[in-house]
Amino acid sequence: MAEVSRVQRAPDDLFLKIVAGEVPATIVHSDDLVVAFEDVNPQAPVHVLVVPRERYENVAELAAASPQALARLVEVAQRIADERCGGEHRLVFNTGTAVGQSVFHVHGHVLGGRDFTWPPG
């Protein structure tokens, strides 16, 4: 049985539509592995989402299937933080609805530009 592509398994994936240019977004970085864009509901002065071009549901799945894409995602997140908030940032991956994941295409939230408290949430 042929493997079904990641795009075919998730035709309504909002982030795949952004990556494909079918849904408008403010793109801040794009390369062969990842795309970064401004969050439409920012939770901090800097709030950028970094997503792999291929769909993986969560960060553990991405790490297992494409460690190079995960490494690039983290590298791009750091570059964005360096440029926009002096390198100080929080990189967040939500896994599951109970912790706030609403789009099931792994994405790192680059958050910065303000003080954060601990614990989060």
Side-chain angles (χ1 to χ4, degrees):
M1 182 171 163
E3 181 177 328
V4 175
S5 81
R6 295 184 177 285
V7 174
Q8 290 172 328
R9 284 192 299 163
D12 294 327
D13 184 325
L14 173 64
F15 292 166
L16 284 179
K17 290 178 180 181
I18 290 171
V19 167
E22 298 169 5
V23 171
T26 303
I27 305 293
V28 300
H29 175 89
S30 180
D31 64 35
D32 60 326
L33 293 176
V34 301
V35 175
F37 50 91
E38 299 284 350
D39 193 298
V40 297
N41 185 25
Q43 301 300 304
V46 174
H47 191 168
V48 174
L49 303 180
V50 187
V51 305
R53 285 187 172 273
E54 290 192 4
R55 183 185 180 277
Y56 300 94
E57 188 168 302
N58 59 56
V59 69
E61 186 179 312
L62 174 61
S66 184
Q68 68 278 19
L70 177 56
R72 178 73 60 81
L73 188 156
V74 172
E75 176 185 319
V76 168
Q78 183 64 56
R79 189 176 318 138
I80 290 166
D82 289 344
E83 293 169 359
R84 295 183 171 210
C85 49
E88 294 188 1
H89 69 291
R90 191 172 276 177
L91 179 57
V92 176
F93 294 93
N94 295 319
T95 300
T97 56
V99 297
Q101 186 177 11
S102 59
V103 177
F104 290 86
H105 179 133
V106 63
H107 52 288
H109 294 258
V110 182
L111 298 155
R114 70 170 172 83
D115 290 341
F116 291 91
T117 61
W118 193 261

